[in-house]
Amino acid sequence: MAAEHQKTAVVTGCSSGIGYCRAEELAKRGWKVFACARRAETMQSLAEEYPEKIVPFSMDISLLDSIEKGYEFVSSRLADGKLDLLYNNAGSSCTFPAIDVPDEALTQCTAVDFEGPVRVTSKFSRLVINAQGTIAFTGSLAGVMIFPWGSVYGAMKAAVHQYASVLALEMEPFNVKVVNFVTGGVNTDIADKRPLPETSIYNFEATKKSFADRQAMAVKNSPMDPALYAKRAVNAVENSRVGVVNVALGTGAGILSFVAAYFPRWLILFVIRIKFGLNAVWSVIRNGEYKKTK
């Protein structure tokens, strides 16, 4: 009698938060998980708790050479050349006014939030195709909703959503599923803590308050516990079907995805201006008072 197939997964961004909990949830269900982060030692506790199920390794998804080495590490440990799940989870926040994004922050966000998942997917895709498995992405409400001070991060997540959508179409004949989690509030430490640039034209008190509210958006709105998020995400992966791509998950994900798709822009902006104190910011700018602080 043939031995039961050992399901395998690669999960990126496992040092903390969603990725850490997702690797743990998969291990609890009997998966063998190759859990990666830039530094493997950040996942030591996972490896110690699940020594037979979790294999930590170092892979910086912003560096092509590191992806190549990560692929060699994983592929050399797959006896049958099959990977049942590739989970692109690693991410980097970027919260700045659209005209004030530092070039270093832009480069980092682009490399981690978009280029990284694309390159990792390209490199590991044959292993997933061999298994007729699943490729998953941690998307975000920021990719569909108009959140102030988050243009670059939102743009990268929107790019991931579109990439996943087209990838799903192209993977259909291989019977490979693609799941994109449009993620709402989750209680993690991903929030960008960098201050409003001193040279910003928005650098006055009203904006500072709005900016702080944006940075604390997730933690102020009853975020979902990452362990619960991970459990529901793995459920969705294990029950995924070819052609079904977007899954709303996390606080506010379902309702805000619906609002973004069907409500008029003017109404959405009316609410956004109130929620993030933008009317006070606009007032300072339109009255020319911001110039007195420069």
Side-chain angles (χ1 to χ4, degrees):
M1 185 175 181
E4 184 178 352
H5 172 67
Q6 168 71 73
K7 288 186 177 180
T8 55
V10 167
V11 183
T12 68
C14 291
S15 61
S16 63
I18 292 173
Y20 187 99
C21 291
R22 189 178 291 116
E24 184 175 43
E25 181 64 29
L26 286 165
K28 287 179 180 178
R29 301 190 189 197
W31 290 64
K32 183 172 184 178
V33 184
F34 295 93
C36 93
R38 285 182 298 173
R39 293 180 291 110
E41 60 268 24
T42 60
M43 301 169 289
Q44 190 59 37
S45 59
L46 271 176
E48 291 174 354
E49 187 171 358
Y50 302 95
E52 301 298 321
K53 297 298 182 183
I54 294 183
V55 181
F57 71 104
S58 174
M59 185 170 73
D60 185 341
I61 68 165
S62 68
L63 301 175
L64 188 56
D65 181 62
S66 185
I67 294 173
E68 295 278 356
K69 291 177 180 177
Y71 172 79
E72 292 300 327
F73 178 87
V74 173
S75 61
S76 66
R77 288 162 174 78
L78 295 175
D80 56 4
K82 295 180 179 180
L83 182 66
D84 297 281
L85 171 62
L86 172 62
Y87 208 125
N88 291 286
N89 170 72
S92 175
S93 292
C94 185
T95 304
F96 292 100
I99 61 174
D100 291 317
V101 180
D103 191 68
E104 181 181 354
L106 171 62
T107 300
Q108 178 191 33
C109 189
T110 303
V112 175
D113 289 318
F114 181 63
E115 292 177 354
V118 171
R119 287 170 172 162
V120 169
T121 298
S122 177
K123 193 64 189 177
F124 285 83
S125 59
R126 294 296 180 93
L127 300 177
V128 182
I129 288 171
N130 289 345
Q132 295 189 356
T134 302
I135 301 172
F137 300 86
T138 298
S140 173
L141 270 176
V144 299
M145 215 36 198
I146 311 166
F147 293 135
W149 323 124
S151 58
V152 168
Y153 181 74
M156 293 304 102
K157 289 303 182 180
V160 166
H161 295 184
Q162 182 66 2
Y163 175 77
S165 180
V166 177
L167 177 69
L169 170 65
E170 295 172 355
M171 288 291 101
E172 278 186 8
F174 299 106
N175 200 33
V176 168
K177 285 76 69 180
V178 176
V179 182
N180 175 56
F181 291 98
V182 183
T183 304
V186 182
N187 191 15
T188 66
D189 193 33
I190 193 176
D192 196 338
K193 298 177 178 63
R194 290 170 289 191
L196 185 71
E198 291 186 7
T199 57
S200 173
I201 199 169
Y202 298 100
N203 189 17
F204 47 86
E205 288 306 313
T207 311
K208 289 178 181 177
K209 183 179 184 306
S210 173
F211 193 73
D213 287 344
R214 172 64 178 87
Q215 288 181 319
M217 180 175 66
V219 299
K220 283 186 173 183
N221 291 278
S222 303
M224 180 178 287
D225 180 80
L228 177 59
Y229 179 99
K231 183 176 182 178
R232 292 181 178 177
V234 175
N235 286 344
V237 165
E238 291 187 332
N239 294 295
S240 59
R241 293 180 290 123
V242 171
V244 179
V245 182
N246 292 327
V247 175
L249 187 58
T251 300
I255 184 63
L256 289 181
S257 293
F258 178 84
V259 167
Y262 296 106
F263 280 48
R265 177 182 169 87
W266 68 265
L267 182 56
I268 294 173
L269 292 182
F270 177 81
V271 176
I272 289 291
R273 289 189 187 103
I274 294 172
K275 180 171 178 58
F276 291 99
L278 295 180
N279 289 325
V281 177
W282 281 199
S283 178
V284 170
I285 293 173
R286 286 169 174 160
N287 292 336
E289 295 175 22
Y290 74 97
K291 296 178 183 178
K292 297 175 184 178
T293 66
K294 306 306 171 190

